């Protein structure tokens, strides 16, 4: 199903490669998703003390590093 969130483009130097870029609709949806996640994260963490939040953050980073190490590289570059 094509929702118009990504656009496909031929790679300029490799015919077998397709480049994907985010469309305006895709960027809007990503922004909305980020807002929802940040709101829910804030609501979920309000019951925890700052030290407890730090522990959860650290543990989630360890899980992320195990599942997708490249994601941490993108996070650090942002």
């Amino acid at each position: 199903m094509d929702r118009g969130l990504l656009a496909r483009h031929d790679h300029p130097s490799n015919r077998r490669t397709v480049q994907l870029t985010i469309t305006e609709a895709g960027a809007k949806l990503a922004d909305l998703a980020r807002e929802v996640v940040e709101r829910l994260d804030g609501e979920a963490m309000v019951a925890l003390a700052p030290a407890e939040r730090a522990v959860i953050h650290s543990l989630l980073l360890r899980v992320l590093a195990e599942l997708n190490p490249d994601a941490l590289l993108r996070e650090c570059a942002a």
Side-chain angles (χ1 to χ4, degrees), residues 60-70 72:
L60 288 173
L61 285 175
R62 283 178 47 196
V63 170
L64 180 60
E66 182 66 28
L67 296 176
N68 186 0
D70 291 339
L72 292 177

Side-chain angles (χ1 to χ4, degrees), residues 36-66:
V36 169
V37 167
E38 287 174 359
R39 181 179 51 81
L40 291 174
D41 182 56
E43 290 174 11
M45 297 298 170
V46 73
L48 301 175
E52 293 169 319
R53 291 180 198 161
V55 168
I56 287 180
H57 182 78
S58 174
L59 292 172
L60 288 173
L61 285 175
R62 283 178 47 196
V63 170
L64 180 60
E66 182 66 28

Side-chain angles (χ1 to χ4, degrees), residues 3-21:
R3 295 176 53 195
L5 304 176
L6 296 173
R8 292 175 176 257
H9 306 281
D10 293 332
H11 190 279
S13 62
N14 186 341
R15 303 181 316 180
R16 297 185 308 173
T17 301
V18 175
Q19 293 179 314
L20 296 176
T21 57

